[in-house]
Amino acid sequence: MRGDAKTMPATTIWKNGEYVPWDSATVHISTHALHYGSSVFEGVRAYATPAGPAVFRLQPHTRRLFQSAKIARMAMPFTEDQVNQAILETVRRNGHEACYIRPIAMRGAGPLGVEGRKNPVDVFIMTMEWGRYLGAEAIEQGVDVQVSSWRRIAPDTGASMAKIGGQYVNSQFITMEAHDNGFNEGLALDYSGTVSEGAGENIFVVYNSVVFTPTPASSILLGITRDTVLTLLRELGIEVRFEAIPRDMLYIADEIFMTGTAAEVTPVRSVDRVTVGAGSRGPITKAVQDLFFAYTSGQKPDQYGWLTPARPAAAGA
């Protein structure tokens, strides 16, 4: 079973150290994050495995949450270990076999004004059923994307290495434009006009059997799934180059795939209605997918320590 497995509906949310009913996990209208986007968050998946649900790359996600908070000058009221344990317990309490997990920290209720450091920081963890972000069929058939007219934030106008809620307005513009024009997703260029990333995904471009991916200088978020795929490509013995990617390289690529917690590993079928390669999932993309899902499903031994069991082992097991 994979990320699109059926799960029980969530009933419980972790709110500032307590487990509360879903309908009670509310915020006040004066919450700073509602007005100014002052939140940091993560997207994490728990996968169904033969040993029960397991959270994929739990600690790297929590570490990035705290790094985002540090960049945003947001003092976290809990430790990384407390958040890790709360994530596992929330999955358990909601009875999930597989799920999407959303930890979020935000500047809470208090005085209005752009400077929000006098407001308390609230932390929530919710879990939910969420299948393939770009569609169940996208994993094999691929998606159609367009290069957006919206650019990614320049290094001196935002903090691309932080997963900050307010910065996702840019992603919303990219995605809405793509949907309005009949595409599955939008792909952004960076401030210099070279390829950055999708609205919510990192990108890999395969050309002459070499995999190219942008560097942090192209205003990308350093994705946990991106990092996972880099490890898988090394395991497969495939060369990877970290370079600025010109837009026209997208049109002559042999394969393109996008990665993210929600999107997992999704092939790109076309860019700006120009067919990528043969117009179907390519061999390198498939090899990466096969390894990715073998590890996340527990079918392949967890040699990298990526899976954290969310259900205590049975007595005597």
Side-chain angles (χ1 to χ4, degrees), residues 217-237:
S218 291
S219 297
I220 68 169
L221 180 71
L222 290 177
I224 307 300
T225 308
R226 174 183 182 270
D227 178 72
T228 301
V229 165
L230 292 172
T231 299
L232 299 180
L233 288 167
R234 286 194 294 271
E235 183 174 331
L236 291 165

Side-chain angles (χ1 to χ4, degrees), residues 103-287:
I104 183 168
M106 65 186 78
R107 297 198 192 281
L112 294 184
V114 174
E115 164 65 85
R117 283 178 288 184
K118 293 183 179 180
N119 295 53
V121 174
D122 295 321
V123 185
F124 295 76
I125 298 167
M126 72 173 183
T127 64
M128 58 187 288
E129 180 180 341
W130 198 6
R132 309 292 188 208
Y133 179 65
L134 295 173
E137 71 286 350
I139 292 295
E140 294 185 8
Q141 298 177 16
V143 293
D144 302 308
V145 307
Q146 76 162 120
V147 176
S148 179
S149 65
W150 295 93
R151 296 286 182 96
R152 268 301 190 216
I153 55 177
D156 55 353
T157 60
S160 64
M161 292 183 70
K163 202 171 176 68
I164 296 175
Q167 294 181 164
Y168 274 73
V169 173
N170 175 259
S171 294
Q172 293 175 49
F173 286 148
I174 293 167
T175 295
M176 288 189 293
E177 180 185 50
H179 290 174
D180 287 347
N181 291 332
F183 296 91
N184 301 108
E185 184 60 295
L187 176 64
L189 304 180
D190 64 18
Y191 65 100
S192 67
T194 58
V195 174
S196 178
E197 60 184 2
E201 309 88 8
N202 293 122
I203 188 167
F204 291 81
V205 179
V206 183
Y207 182 68
N208 286 342
S209 300
V210 176
V211 177
F212 296 82
T213 195
T215 72
S218 291
S219 297
I220 68 169
L221 180 71
L222 290 177
I224 307 300
T225 308
R226 174 183 182 270
D227 178 72
T228 301
V229 165
L230 292 172
T231 299
L232 299 180
L233 288 167
R234 286 194 294 271
E235 183 174 331
L236 291 165
I238 297 171
E239 181 182 357
V240 179
R241 296 181 188 174
F242 302 91
E243 297 181 5
I245 299 174
R247 176 176 178 167
D248 43 315
M249 189 175 184
L250 301 173
Y251 307 129
I252 60 172
D254 300 312
E255 303 176 46
I256 300 174
F257 60 91
M258 307 175 82
T259 64
T261 295
E264 298 171 301
V265 181
T266 299
V268 174
R269 181 169 50 205
S270 70
V271 180
D272 294 337
R273 299 192 170 88
V274 176
T275 300
V276 174
S280 59
R281 178 177 55 180
I284 289 179
T285 303
K286 185 177 186 305

Side-chain angles (χ1 to χ4, degrees), residues 1-3 5 46-54 97-99 296-298:
M1 297 173 71
R2 298 179 181 173
Y47 286 90
T49 76
E97 290 300 322
C99 64
T296 56
S297 67

